[in-house]
């Protein structure tokens, strides 16, 4: 009985650790094309296949087109946010090349906790 309880506690700890990582703030600041980060900043093309570490990241194949909506700034400038079809998420900027700049002037805004939550089946997952 004690062994089963130990295993359940271990599974709970592993589950909690995974949920903490999936809501971890990646940067406190981001650059956008407008204050609400609703306008696409640029259109980019994937230069390599990319598979992100968790559900917050956008997965894509070489040659796919992605619309960029924000770029993390200050402490984590390597990650951009974009969409491909109905999929949306973070990706490293060095996995794409800029095809077209849509907005020249960037605005720096604070990120929100909800910027870093996973989206599953059209609902945010709050762990």
């Amino acid at each position: 009985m004690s062994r089963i309880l130990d295993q359940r506690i271990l599974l709970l700890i592993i589950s909690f650790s995974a949920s903490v990582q999936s809501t971890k703030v990646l940067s406190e600041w981001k650059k956008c094309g407008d204050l609400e980060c609703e306008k696409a900043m640029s259109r980019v093309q994937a230069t390599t296949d990319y598979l992100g570490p968790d559900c917050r990241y956008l997965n894509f194949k070489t040659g796919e087109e992605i619309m960029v909506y924000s770029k993390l700034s200050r402490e984590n400038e390597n990650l951009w946010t974009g969409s491909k079809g109905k999929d949306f998420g973070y990706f490293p900027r060095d996995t794409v090349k800029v095809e077209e700049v849509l907005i020249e002037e960037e605005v720096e805004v604070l990120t929100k906790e909800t910027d870093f939550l996973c989206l599953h089946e059209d609902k945010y997952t709050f762990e």
Side-chain angles (χ1 to χ4, degrees), residues 40 42 44 58 60 64-70 80-91:
S42 59
V44 300
L58 182 66
F60 48 79
E64 289 188 305
E65 187 176 281
I66 300 162
M67 298 304 290
V68 177
Y69 288 90
S70 69
W80 289 1
T81 311
S83 68
K84 173 189 67 118
K86 293 193 285 182
D87 297 329
F88 187 84
Y90 294 95
F91 59 91

Side-chain angles (χ1 to χ4, degrees), residues 6-58:
D6 289 345
Q7 289 175 340
R8 287 184 180 173
I9 291 171
L10 180 59
L11 287 173
L12 183 63
I13 291 169
I14 291 169
S15 175
F16 177 74
S17 297
S19 70
V20 167
Q21 178 166 348
S22 71
T23 59
K24 179 180 162 196
V25 173
L26 301 170
S27 176
E28 291 193 28
W29 294 92
K30 62 184 174 182
K31 293 180 182 176
C32 301
D34 62 287
L35 291 174
E36 293 78 29
C37 298
E38 293 177 350
K39 294 181 182 175
M41 299 173 71
S42 59
R43 181 176 55 82
V44 300
Q45 184 177 49
T47 56
T48 185
D49 292 355
Y50 179 72
L51 180 61
D54 63 49
C55 60
R56 296 173 298 171
Y57 291 80
L58 182 66

Side-chain angles (χ1 to χ4, degrees), residues 101-112:
V101 175
L102 304 172
I103 293 180
E104 294 283 341
E105 193 171 322
E106 298 174 348
V107 178
E108 191 171 50
V109 297
L110 282 167
T111 59
K112 303 171 192 161

